[in-house]
Amino acid sequence: MRTFDYVRATDTQEAVRLLADDPAASCLAGGTTQLDLMKDGILEPPRLIDITRLPLHGIERRGESLHVGALATMEELAAEPTVAERLPVVRESLLLGASVQLRNMATIGGNLLQRTRCRYFRDPGVAECNKRSPGSGCAAVMGAARMHAVLGVSERCIALHASDLAVALVSLDALVHIQGPTQRRTVPLTEFYITAAESPERENVLDHAELITEVEIPLPPPTARSGYLKVRDRVSYEFALTSAAVLLVIDGGTIRQARVGLGGVGSKPWRAYEAEHVLTGAPVTTATFLDAAEATMRDAWTVPGTEFKVPLARRTLVRELQTVSGVTS
């Protein structure tokens, strides 16, 4: 790891100003991704701006939405009573997303901004990586690619977005509140991320001198049912091969509202609008769920090593739809 300057920001405006003054600086919060990338030699910021003391730690319910400070930890959000009562899909994604030790360190904002776990991106000895060096190629397309994406990808990049929480939040139409040097703005999380097919080197719409200050989660109707299923190689802490975040409102055997997010398959947390279209207004049956899963994965783009994710993602979604709805046949 190279040497760097360390600065502790005392308020949000100061942090934004420090970022604006130094285009090469990086922020430090929980550090669970940032420090790993620095140790690997992927990131070499000349200055780290410590934002852990900024007043962005609170979690507050305001009417029918939950406002989560960007520096609240994963463990704090998982323990929030409103999350347990109204947002089981969020709670399950948090508990399945990391060990207790990591959940007590990792922040919500940092989780949403985590970088890909692509082995080629994280190996500075691999020259062909469009995410690190635009125009250099993508070693994963011709290499071992089992843990890579099949949606939102192309021959330019097949890197996977690994966040579990973000998959749940995109399914809930969460909003990201952002502070910049001259203005604040709010971006739907479904519009926050950029696919690898669009721009491998840029993963989200956040400008360098902007900070996520808060995540706003609209609360679903009290009658909604939700859950998160994560399929992985081992039960202990591991990244998803496939995952599904599901929220359903069911009335009289008919699905009145459906929200679906997919993980382990997309270069960004994937909102499965095709599945929602099939589900909404349809009967609560396994046949409906199979149709929704088929529609979701219709445009998957695979390479040798990722083909298995297409049928696995379908089965993952069907299983979680069955679990949430209580219908197994």
Side-chain angles (χ1 to χ4, degrees), residues 254-328:
T254 299
I255 300 169
R256 302 302 180 188
Q257 184 180 128
R259 298 289 183 268
V260 178
L262 298 177
V265 292
S267 62
K268 66 177 185 177
W270 202 261
R271 179 70 176 268
Y273 291 110
E274 298 87 354
E276 295 175 4
H277 178 74
V278 172
L279 292 166
T280 304
V284 185
T285 64
T286 295
T288 296
F289 302 158
L290 287 167
D291 288 343
E294 178 64 30
T296 297
M297 302 305 297
R298 190 169 291 140
D299 295 327
W301 192 88
T302 64
V303 299
T306 63
E307 303 100 326
F308 79 98
K309 286 201 168 189
V310 177
L312 182 60
R314 292 194 195 106
R315 292 196 295 270
T316 302
L317 178 55
V318 170
R319 178 178 166 187
E320 188 59 7
L321 285 166
Q322 291 174 328
T323 299
V324 171
S325 68
V327 174
T328 58

Side-chain angles (χ1 to χ4, degrees), residues 37 40 42 116-133 136-148 157-160 303-304 306:
L37 291 172
D40 291 341
I42 304 305
T116 181
R117 296 286 166 171
C118 172
R119 59 189 292 185
Y120 305 99
F121 168 72
R122 288 174 174 259
D123 183 353
V126 175
E128 300 85 3
C129 178
N130 285 323
K131 192 171 287 294
R132 276 190 284 107
S133 180
S136 63
C138 177
V141 170
M142 299 301 294
R146 188 167 184 272
M147 298 301 294
H148 286 71
C157 182
I158 59 172
L160 176 74
V303 299
T306 63

